Amino acid sequence: MKRLSDLIDNGEILSIWEEYQAGATPEARFVKELDKLETVLQAAEYEEAHQLDLQEFWEMGERSLVSSISKEILDVLSQRREFNHERGDIR
């Protein structure tokens, strides 16, 4: 990452990446949370498309999402997942 950042912008990208990795700012923590939420969204899509049960991804979301908006989105996705389970669309 350092080499790439040095080639492109003299280290600015590396600085932002390190801020993200460390969760050093509210913005970095929010982006990390969006990344986790996106993982749950992918799990939801894979479950529907391939009739799988990817419970471990849902559990990660429940453990790690802290903002109210992320929790609301997770709740809506969970309701949809429960509906799909009841219909037999997910094994």
Side-chain angles (χ1 to χ4, degrees), residues 40-58 77 80-86 88-91:
V40 176
L41 183 56
Q42 279 189 9
E45 291 175 354
Y46 274 67
E47 282 185 333
E48 288 183 26
H50 303 287
Q51 296 182 333
L52 300 171
D53 187 346
L54 301 173
Q55 182 64 30
E56 61 272 17
F57 293 96
W58 293 90
L77 291 171
R80 180 182 176 123
R81 182 176 191 244
E82 184 178 325
F83 175 76
N84 287 335
H85 270 284
E86 290 171 359
D89 291 343
I90 297 174
R91 297 178 189 166

Side-chain angles (χ1 to χ4, degrees), residues 8-66:
I8 296 173
D9 65 3
N10 203 24
E12 185 177 355
I13 288 176
L14 180 61
S15 175
I16 293 169
W17 174 253
E18 289 170 346
E19 177 183 298
Y20 165 77
Q21 287 292 88
T25 63
E27 294 84 2
R29 289 187 292 276
F30 180 67
V31 172
K32 272 190 167 283
E33 185 157 323
L34 289 178
D35 187 42
K36 292 174 184 173
L37 182 60
E38 195 269 338
T39 300
V40 176
L41 183 56
Q42 279 189 9
E45 291 175 354
Y46 274 67
E47 282 185 333
E48 288 183 26
H50 303 287
Q51 296 182 333
L52 300 171
D53 187 346
L54 301 173
Q55 182 64 30
E56 61 272 17
F57 293 96
W58 293 90
E59 291 169 358
M60 177 276 305
E62 291 169 358
R63 284 190 313 270
S64 61
L65 298 176
V66 294

